[in-house]
Amino acid sequence: MHDGSAQFRSVLDKVGEGKWEGAELPVLEPVVHPVVRTHPETGAKVLFVNPGFTSHIVELDRPESDALLGFLYAHSVRPEFVVRYHWTEGDLGFWDNRATQHSVVGDFGDQHRVIQRVTIKGDAPALTN
């Protein structure tokens, strides 16, 4: 279950609602996504879970779901899977959320962090075989 309500609650509380393709969105509804998806361009099988959005695996009872997700979250941040980018002024970053996760380390001290985010509408995550 992919649920962004906790991540974006403060934003929605401030603005009241958002828009997606011209439609008003007063809340973010949870959506079932596969745990492993097939990337539509590369054909690679990729994990499609993260602790910020994946609330549980619907086919499992909660203890099993929590245990499996804990394992997958820990697996996804193993050193061999992590890239640490060191930003400099004027840098622009792109990543593909269909196959990558990102996280802020928060080591920018008293510097002001400015982000302009653009999200491109993609495909619906397909179940993998």
Side-chain angles (χ1 to χ4, degrees):
M1 184 65 63
H2 189 86
D3 186 354
S5 59
Q7 291 288 327
F8 292 103
R9 182 169 291 120
S10 64
V11 173
L12 289 172
D13 287 347
K14 288 178 189 174
V15 299
E17 58 187 26
K19 287 187 177 185
W20 183 258
E21 295 185 336
E24 299 292 330
L25 293 174
V27 296
L28 292 174
E29 297 292 335
V31 178
V32 175
H33 283 317
V35 172
V36 176
R37 70 170 292 186
T38 302
H39 193 284
E41 294 175 32
T42 67
K45 307 281 191 246
V46 295
L47 286 175
F48 200 57
V49 297
N50 70 71
F53 288 91
T54 307
S55 63
H56 64 283
I57 299 172
V58 296
E59 296 87 356
L60 302 178
D61 63 32
R62 189 53 78 138
E64 288 178 308
S65 172
D66 291 348
L68 180 54
L69 287 173
F71 171 81
L72 294 175
Y73 298 154
H75 177 78
S76 69
V77 295
R78 289 175 47 180
E80 62 266 35
F81 304 133
V82 173
V83 173
R84 173 75 196 271
Y85 187 81
H86 298 276
W87 295 91
T88 58
E89 186 175 343
D91 282 356
L92 182 64
F94 288 89
W95 57 88
D96 184 343
N97 276 341
R98 298 172 297 183
T100 353
Q101 296 182 36
H102 69 279
S103 177
V104 176
V105 175
D107 60 354
F108 39 88
D110 61 355
Q111 297 296 311
H112 187 67
R113 182 172 178 248
V114 178
I115 298 172
Q116 298 294 323
R117 178 181 175 146
V118 175
T119 302
I120 299 170
K121 183 178 179 183
D123 62 316
L127 295 173
T128 190
N129 294 327

